[in-house]
Every structure is written in C-alpha cells, then in structure tokens.
Amino acid sequence: MSNRANGWPALAVACLTLGTTVSIGFAQTRLHVWKGSSQPGNGNSWTTAFHELDDCLEFAAAQGDYPYDIWVAAGTYQVHVPASEPTPAAAFVLDGGVRLFGGFTGVLDEMDIGDRDVAANITILSGVVVSTATPEIAPCGDPDAGSCFEMNGTPGCDEAFCCVIVCDFDPQCCENTWDGLCAEFAGENCYTRRVESVVATSGDGGTDRQANGFRIVDGGTDVQGTRGGGVRIGDGAMEVVLGTVTGNIAYDGGGVAVHAYPGKTVTDASIWNSRITDNRYVYRGGGVYATAPYTIVNSEITLNRTGCDVGEDPEACAADVASALFDGAPAPSPGQGDPPPPNRTIVNTTVTLNRGTPAIQFELGGPLGAGLELHNSIVWGNLAGSNELPCPDDPLCFELSASSAVAARYSDVNTGPDAIPSGWTASINADPVFADPAAGDFRLLATSPCLNRGLDDLALPDLLDVNDDGNLLEKAPDLELLPRIECRVDMGAHERCQAVRSDLDDDCDVDGGDLGELLALFGGAGPTGDLDCNGVVDGGDLGLLLSDWGPVSAECCVGAVTAALAYGAGASAAMGEQGAIEEGAAMTPEMLAAALGFASTEAFIAWIAEQPFETIAAYMALLV
C-alpha cells in the first residue's frame, strides 16, 4: 500500500461527503463494488464489480483517470492491511474527482442513480481494520490455526494482527505451538485496530469529492491530536450527503473534523441531509469540529458526548467544552489584520441532546462578524456536562458560548434566562415539541412553535440532488427526503408534510378530534391550526382540514405520541348547550355536505370556509 500527501494511504474514499461545490457536465467513469459479484474484475459492471471497496479505490488511484463515480452495493466495507504493517491513518482516502454512492443492491443490476434505496440497502464504511496474513510469519492469519485466545495446539492463530503481536513477544508461539501462555498474552495485549479517520481527504487540494449514502462507523482513537474519527476534511472541497456518522471517537471532532492539514487549505466542506449522532470526543466537538468554512443543511447533530460517563467528574474528562459543534474561526495573521469571514452556515438543522457545555462553542480569533449564520434551525435541549439535566433545567448549562458570534435568523435557540439578542431576526426561545426525543424522533408535533416559522428564502435549493430526482432548482427536501415547503418552511431538520397538516392531535387520522382542536384555536394567530399560513385560524383552515379528512399516509404519520384529545373550553362554549363533537363520532365531510343539501363535498367546503365562526360551530353541533 503506497502512501501520499499527509501520510494517508493511497485509497480514494467513499462515505459521507462535505463541500458545496456542484459539478455538472464532467464525463464520469463509473466503477462498481459489490461483494456478491460473480466475476470480480475491472468493476465496469455489477457482474465484474470489485468485491472490496479498498481494492476499487486503489485501482482508481493507480489509473489516475479522474473523475470517477463509484457505485457501492449494500454491505460492510473495511480497509485490509497486512498484519505486519502499521495501522493507516485513514481507511478510505478521497482524491479530487472521486464521488462515491451507496445504497445499491447489485442484484437488480441498477443502471440509474435513482434506482438505489439508501434506507433499505445499508452500506457501511467501518474504521475497524481487517488484518491480513503475512508471508514472513506464515502461521499468522491461517484460519485452520485455531483461536488466538485459546490453547489451540497449532503454531500461530487465526487472527493475523494478534498473532504478530504475540509472536513478536514470544516466537515460540509461531514456531512450535500456541500454548496457554500464548493465549494468556493474547488476552492481555491484543486489541482491535482502528484507523484515526474512516474517511479523509487526500491532501491533493481537489474538489468534486462526494460520498453519498453511507454509514460511517467505528473510527478514531482518543489519542491527543487526532481529529475526525468519522470524517476528516483536511483540504480542498468535499461533501457528505445522506450519511449517518455514528459510533466514532477523536480527541477533537468525534464525528467530523473540518480542519486543514499543515500547509493546506479547506475551501468548502458541507454536510447535507445527514445524521451526526452518538460520537464521542475528548476535548472539543463531539459532533463537528470546524476551523474552516463549512455548511450543514437539513441534518441532525444529536446525542454526541464527551468521554465522560454519567457520574464522572466533568473536569476529569473535559466536559466543559463543545458537545455538538466546536467552531474555531481562524486567528488573524501577524501584521495582516483580521481574516475575511469564512462561510460558516447551518440551515434547517436540529442540534439537541448532546452532552457537554455548551452545545455550540466559539473560539474566535477574528472579529465577531466572522461568526456563524444559523438559519431556520433548532438548538435546544442539550445536556450540561455529564449531568442528565437538559438546558435550561441545569443552571450550569448554556447552548451557545457566545450569542454575539451567531447571526440567528428564524431559528429556535435556548438562550436560557437571557432574552433573544437584539441582532437576531425572527428567532424564538421555546420548547420545539419534538415527537419522541427519548426514542430519537425529532420530528415536530402539531403544537410545535417551530412549524411554519422559518423563512423560505433561507431554505437552500437542492444543488446536490439529494433525492435523486434530477431537479436541482427545487428546495432541498428535509432529512427524510419529504418536500421541504408545504406552506411556509419549518425550523429544524424535519418538515411537517402536507398530508399531516390537519392531524392536530397527532393520532395519524384527521377526524372529529382535529376538528375540535381547530375550533378551539379559531381566531388565533397560529402557527398551530393556521393550515394555510395566512396568519389567522379561520374558515380557510377549516376547509383544508375537511379536505384532508381520513387516515394520514404512513410516510407522514408522526404517530399517536400525544395523549391529549380534549377539545378545549373555547370550542365547547361556542357550540352552546348542544355540546362539543364526541370523540370517535362517525362523521365525515361527505355526510356534512349531504345533510346540508350541497351537490358535492367540494361545494360544501368552499362554502363553509367563508362562514363566521359562530355559523361553523352551530352547524358542527347540529350535525353530531
């Protein structure tokens, strides 16, 4: 395995991607990777696909005929290294011009990017090294040699790396027999080899790098100076799309690090429609550590934490630094004044349940004007240090280390007891009302103050075609690939879709319960109940609710996660002595239209939408 700039192994990467550079019009050479190919060869088709990703990437690097698109079928892919060679810094290294796409089956002989299914065909990039047998120590890695952790009676053992460790200490274990002392030494000294970063840029300064549709797992170490256990962006531009970065660890940036290699420059790093979750860090940035330009769009940064366990002394494990995102702006060069503000923008992203204070920390060497742009996003409910109390219940917890370093626009940020900074635009400090945060469901319920509270112009177009539909002009879909704007864009990673707009009690059915909820909200300013986003709950919203009547589609159903189905005093009083609509009453818009003598349900809906509230309430009560 050859090494190139910055010591990264000569492999081109596949995984999440960072960088908003859009490349259109280049003739990409397509290669295929599928463990089930019947005639593994040059990778030009699924039939001749490479069995292993690192073989394919090494082939591409040797050819040098960039750009390449590499399609990868479902499976787990690891880097293979001879047991006698050092552990590489990264499992997969991405050169400029290499784009990787996961989520294929291989079996179906997919020919179009839209044929893949990232959710169904899980494609994993792992940071655990596969140690291969070495000729110089013949018994090491021999599958017939027996377990390294048992007195197997043969020379050597089946796991090559462990075997090399033991035989380097006691050559008799490989020359004669693997006895009890060999097995005991193995149990005390063998360990799983993990790369510092699962995915890393190569140092060639390239662009047009993308890894799309992968889970990045089990990368990194806690050694001081390591950065980006999952993904390390050290030069040029790179994009992470439709990814999940989880179960990684690093000294800085357990999930992702955007930090230039010595003598290199990061021009653009971006994360689109991805989850950065459950990563660990020692010092700074459990989710993301960034000292260079970055953009995060339609993503979640959740459940990242320090190396602390519950009950540990926070000072002993550095729990007082950023748990979700560490943002270190570049310091000015001597005699050069302040550097130009880098592009650092978070759009329609949810940052919650990360552990460590603050959730987002800033160390700004330049002016505060070089701070973060936070658009249509939610930063709420992160945990203080090793405690289990969410902000703001823990008095030691705060979500942002310097609100003056943030230009928050149309976002929901917990500022604790402090007021929203005067320089922020249309932002709020309120519980976002997630569906089921304990289960990792951060979609918004019907009572969320974040619904229809973003600004459409701040939602980005689908420049990377994350939903594979070929339309780069539409607004980028939400994290679940649902359409982003139905009425007015929501805050956070999830858009409450059109089919569920009228399910005000979140029971996955638009029925009498929702009608009662709407009547209780009648005349209010919303956002709950203001289905047409005109600033008031009125007859137009009633018309939309009646047109939505019936079960909610499965893809939009948030689930019956709320127990409250009561109608509220406002609706009951308005309906007078005849009472509110009973829960479970067999009433449909068709029945209402027929009872009132309308020729069609549509005609009834159009009429009732124009009526005053008292008339609406009276007819509803009459028909029950």
Side-chain angles (χ1 to χ4, degrees):
M1 178 182 297
S2 61
N3 290 330
R4 291 174 289 161
N6 300 297
W8 300 116
L11 302 177
V13 80
C15 206
L16 303 180
T17 58
L18 298 166
T20 26
T21 304
V22 180
S23 57
I24 302 173
F26 293 101
Q28 304 283 129
T29 299
R30 183 188 303 166
L31 297 175
H32 302 77
V33 179
W34 176 34
K35 291 179 179 292
S37 63
S38 58
Q39 303 171 38
N42 59 15
N44 287 336
S45 68
W46 289 115
T47 301
T48 62
F50 290 92
H51 278 179
E52 295 296 339
L53 178 59
D54 53 357
D55 290 338
C56 176
L57 295 172
E58 194 162 22
F59 169 82
Q63 300 302 307
D65 187 21
Y66 299 122
Y68 283 103
D69 275 0
I70 301 176
W71 290 10
V72 185
T76 298
Y77 297 89
Q78 299 165 262
V79 63
H80 297 73
V81 181
S84 57
E85 291 190 9
T87 301
F92 308 104
V93 178
L94 189 59
D95 280 334
V98 175
R99 305 190 305 180
L100 233 100
F101 298 88
F104 295 93
T105 66
V107 178
L108 301 178
D109 197 29
E110 295 102 331
M111 298 299 293
D112 186 88
I113 189 68
D115 295 336
R116 66 177 180 153
D117 187 335
V118 172
N121 304 316
I122 297 173
T123 313
I124 298 172
L125 301 180
S126 171
V128 175
V129 175
V130 176
S131 298
T132 58
T134 56
E136 59 268 29
I137 308 178
C140 288
D142 183 352
D144 297 325
S147 171
C148 296
F149 304 101
E150 298 177 359
M151 185 173 60
N152 61 49
T154 66
C157 65
D158 56 0
E159 207 289 305
F161 183 59
C162 181
C163 179
V164 168
I165 291 175
V166 175
C167 291
D168 183 62
F169 173 78
D170 184 357
Q172 295 299 314
C173 295
C174 281
E175 295 172 1
N176 294 324
T177 185
W178 196 274
D179 58 21
L181 292 176
C182 302
E184 181 180 356
F185 189 84
E188 294 174 351
N189 295 277
C190 289
Y191 58 93
T192 300
R193 284 210 281 179
R194 290 166 59 126
V195 294
E196 290 182 12
S197 303
V198 181
V199 177
T201 56
S202 67
D204 69 353
T207 59
D208 193 26
R209 297 187 276 206
Q210 185 178 130
N212 185 318
F214 294 88
R215 293 189 182 184
I216 311 288
V217 303
D218 296 334
T221 73
D222 59 0
V223 175
Q224 185 171 354
T226 58
R227 294 186 174 99
V231 180
R232 172 69 187 273
I233 313 302
D235 71 291
M238 183 177 167
E239 297 152 352
V240 176
V241 184
L242 294 176
T244 297
V245 183
T246 185
N248 304 285
I249 185 171
Y251 191 77
D252 291 325
V256 178
V258 182
H259 182 77
Y261 302 136
K264 303 295 181 178
T265 300
V266 177
T267 58
D268 194 7
S270 63
I271 302 171
W272 287 64
N273 294 74
S274 296
R275 288 180 168 90
I276 314 298
T277 183
D278 195 21
N279 300 285
R280 298 177 68 181
Y281 69 107
V282 176
Y283 187 37
R284 295 172 294 190
V288 179
Y289 171 85
T291 61
Y294 65 87
T295 304
I296 304 174
V297 184
N298 291 329
S299 295
E300 288 180 353
I301 305 176
T302 64
L303 300 168
N304 301 289
R305 58 195 178 98
T306 68
C308 301
D309 291 323
V310 175
E312 263 191 276
D313 179 5
E315 294 185 1
C317 56
D320 58 344
V321 291
S323 58
L325 188 150
F326 176 87
D327 184 308
S333 301
Q336 300 299 315
D338 291 322
N343 172 31
R344 304 198 319 280
T345 306
I346 297 178
V347 183
N348 281 110
T349 290
T350 298
V351 180
T352 188
L353 289 186
N354 300 282
R355 196 169 78 197
T357 299
I360 298 180
Q361 177 172 345
F362 301 90
E363 283 190 7
L364 297 170
L368 292 181
L372 169 69
E373 294 283 335
L374 190 69
H375 299 166
N376 295 347
S377 293
I378 299 171
V379 182
W380 187 273
N382 296 284
L383 307 174
S386 60
N387 300 320
E388 292 298 331
L389 294 175
C391 298
D393 297 337
D394 191 316
L396 300 178
C397 184
F398 54 107
E399 310 267 359
L400 303 176
S401 67
S403 60
S404 59
V406 181
R409 301 176 182 176
Y410 296 85
S411 293
D412 183 11
V413 182
N414 172 32
T415 56
D418 300 331
I420 291 290
S422 59
W424 290 9
T425 303
S427 293
I428 60 175
N429 176 2
D431 185 342
V433 192
F434 295 128
D436 191 354
D441 187 348
F442 303 109
R443 292 177 294 175
L444 302 175
L445 292 182
T447 54
S448 172
C450 299
L451 294 176
N452 302 320
R453 293 289 287 271
L455 181 65
D456 294 355
D457 288 346
L458 295 177
L460 297 184
D462 190 11
L463 298 176
L464 302 182
D465 193 22
V466 298
N467 56 3
D468 297 334
D469 68 353
N471 186 352
L472 305 183
L473 300 179
E474 65 183 352
K475 293 293 186 181
D478 80 345
L479 183 57
E480 306 293 339
L481 299 184
L482 296 173
R484 175 43 85 177
I485 299 175
E486 297 292 357
C487 177
R488 177 175 165 181
V489 67
D490 298 335
M491 296 175 177
H494 300 274
E495 189 82 2
R496 191 170 171 90
C497 68
Q498 186 84 354
V500 79
R501 64 183 175 184
S502 300
D503 186 16
L504 301 179
D505 57 16
D506 285 302
D507 66 349
C508 299
D509 194 17
V510 179
D511 54 17
D514 303 297
L515 179 59
E517 294 278 358
L518 186 72
L519 294 179
L521 297 166
F522 214 88
T528 303
D530 183 18
L531 308 183
D532 57 10
C533 298
N534 69 346
V536 63
V537 181
D538 56 16
D541 304 304
L542 177 63
L544 290 175
L545 185 146
L546 294 177
S547 66
D548 291 341
W549 202 269
V552 172
S553 63
E555 67 175 2
C556 286
C557 178
V558 175
V561 293
T562 56
L565 293 176
Y567 296 119
S572 297
M575 290 182 183
E577 297 181 357
Q578 299 186 58
I581 302 170
E582 294 182 0
E583 185 175 335
M587 179 187 64
T588 68
E590 291 78 11
M591 294 170 58
L592 291 171
L596 292 172
F598 284 91
S600 67
T601 304
E602 290 73 17
F604 161 65
I605 292 174
W607 173 80
I608 202 169
E610 301 296 328
Q611 304 308 306
F613 173 72
E614 292 77 9
T615 301
I616 294 170
Y619 274 110
M620 296 300 103
L622 178 65
L623 293 173
V624 172

Coordinates of all heavy atoms in Angstrom, one line a residue, residues 23 44 104:
S23 N -20.7 20.0 -9.4 CA -20.0 19.8 -10.7 C -21.0 19.2 -11.6 O -21.6 18.2 -11.4 CB -18.8 18.8 -10.5 OG -19.2 17.6 -9.9
N44 N -16.4 -2.6 -14.2 CA -17.1 -1.8 -15.2 C -18.6 -2.1 -15.1 O -19.4 -1.4 -15.8 CB -16.6 -2.1 -16.6 CG -15.2 -1.4 -16.8 OD1 -14.9 -0.4 -16.2 ND2 -14.5 -1.9 -17.7
F104 N -27.1 0.7 -3.2 CA -27.5 -0.2 -4.3 C -27.6 -1.6 -3.8 O -27.1 -2.0 -2.7 CB -26.5 -0.1 -5.5 CG -26.4 1.2 -6.1 CD1 -25.5 2.2 -5.7 CD2 -27.3 1.5 -7.2 CE1 -25.4 3.4 -6.3 CE2 -27.2 2.8 -7.8 CZ -26.3 3.7 -7.4

